[in-house]
Amino acid sequence: MGSSWVVVALCWLGQLYADQSLKPQIAAAQLARNDPTLTTIALQKPFCVFDSSLHPNKSYTIYLYAMKESASAMSSLVMDPSSKPLDSTFQQTGGGQLGPYRAALFPVPTCAAPPRPGDLADVSRVSGVLQQYLFRVGDDGTCLYDPNFLDVCNPPLAPDTTYRFKYVLIDSTEGIVKDQTLWSDPIKTRRVKLPLQIDLWPGPRSGGMVVITSILSVLLFLLLAGFLAAVCPAVLKPEGPSAEAKNIPQTTQPSDPSPQLSPE
């Protein structure tokens, strides 16, 4: 992992603190490669978004809600008339089809405590640092099938499906919604590729590479054609007397027997 990657990460984190977004954002491509996947989407945590809503001597928690874009707008509310947050689950909402479900909860990120450059420069600590600033929706493949699981369930998302997300600030002292972001822009998971559509080439192909490949293919064809032109006449040339005829031994004429003298 080169130094250029670290510089990009530092620049991204600097922009994260400066830009107080009003809705969840998908993770930067430099920090979460291959995102979204078939069943997960990595989001930036809400740093510096709710600072103005925080008060001393109170405890707060962030809820992350998710729903499919196809869900009706009337069912996009995340609290009841008494400002209590919805506790709807993945199963109750049909995976977000009927409305938002609570996909995660975590402490309010501390805007006043940015990461130290030395932490990102240390390759062994990069993964842990990024986990503090990113959250991957759909990263729990076991909670749906564990009857003893009591925590918030964050099961895999559906492939080729568009979702929206919302961060909600919960006043844990009173158990009510204190603040919330807008719903995110639509974010779509990847679609399943058919075997014939899978690109097995190990890297990107430039225009120059395509031209070189075409030239080499033509040269290979010409070489093969020349080889066949040289071999075919020798193969089709008529043969002389067959070897079988050459190997027939010449029949020698028997010599006349000498007349034998009578003993008389």
Side-chain angles (χ1 to χ4, degrees):
M1 198 174 297
S3 58
S4 60
W5 189 95
V6 175
V7 171
V8 170
L10 289 173
C11 293
W12 175 81
L13 289 172
Q15 294 175 356
L16 181 63
Y17 294 121
D19 178 20
Q20 296 188 13
S21 175
L22 297 179
K23 55 188 176 182
Q25 303 289 327
I26 192 171
Q30 296 86 348
L31 300 180
R33 298 182 178 182
N34 300 322
D35 180 59
T37 67
L38 289 174
T39 58
T40 66
I41 296 175
L43 300 175
Q44 300 175 12
K45 288 185 178 179
F47 277 87
C48 308
V49 174
F50 298 119
D51 281 22
S52 60
S53 301
L54 302 178
H55 297 282
N57 303 322
K58 285 199 173 185
S59 176
Y60 297 93
T61 302
I62 298 293
Y63 282 8
L64 170 61
Y65 286 92
M67 72 173 181
K68 294 181 179 179
E69 188 184 24
S70 56
S72 67
M74 295 298 296
S75 61
S76 64
L77 298 178
V78 295
M79 62 180 180
D80 60 22
S82 62
S83 296
K84 298 287 185 180
L86 297 182
D87 291 330
S88 50
T89 65
F90 182 91
Q91 296 95 323
Q92 293 170 344
T93 62
Q97 180 67 42
L98 304 178
Y101 66 91
R102 191 173 58 174
L105 58 87
F106 48 82
V108 179
T110 305
C111 182
R116 294 178 301 175
D119 291 342
L120 288 175
D122 185 350
V123 176
S124 64
R125 304 183 64 178
V126 168
S127 177
V129 171
L130 293 181
Q131 287 181 4
Q132 299 177 31
Y133 299 97
L134 302 179
F135 181 81
R136 188 172 292 276
V137 188
D139 203 27
D140 188 349
T142 60
C143 61
L144 284 179
Y145 312 104
D146 184 358
N148 299 319
F149 188 85
L150 301 177
D151 203 351
V152 177
C153 189
N154 179 33
L157 304 174
D160 195 23
T161 304
T162 304
Y163 290 86
R164 290 179 182 268
F165 306 95
K166 177 191 283 283
Y167 285 124
V168 178
L169 178 66
I170 305 298
D171 183 339
S172 302
T173 306
E174 301 181 17
I176 61 174
V177 174
K178 185 65 177 179
D179 202 352
Q180 59 183 295
T181 67
L182 301 174
W183 282 101
S184 71
D185 294 331
I187 305 175
K188 191 174 186 178
T189 53
R190 293 189 179 185
R191 63 184 304 176
V192 179
K193 287 187 176 182
L194 298 175
L196 295 179
Q197 296 176 329
I198 298 177
D199 188 0
L200 300 179
W201 186 263
R205 285 161 287 191
S206 62
M209 185 180 296
V210 174
V211 173
I212 293 174
T213 303
S214 301
I215 293 175
L216 292 177
S217 300
V218 173
L219 291 177
L220 179 62
F221 172 78
L222 294 177
L223 180 62
L224 181 61
F227 175 76
L228 293 177
V231 171
C232 286
V235 174
L236 300 177
K237 183 178 179 180
E239 297 183 356
S242 66
E244 182 180 357
K246 291 180 180 179
N247 293 332
I248 297 177
Q250 296 292 332
T251 303
T252 57
Q253 297 292 332
S255 57
D256 294 337
S258 301
Q260 296 182 359
L261 296 179
S262 172
E264 296 179 354

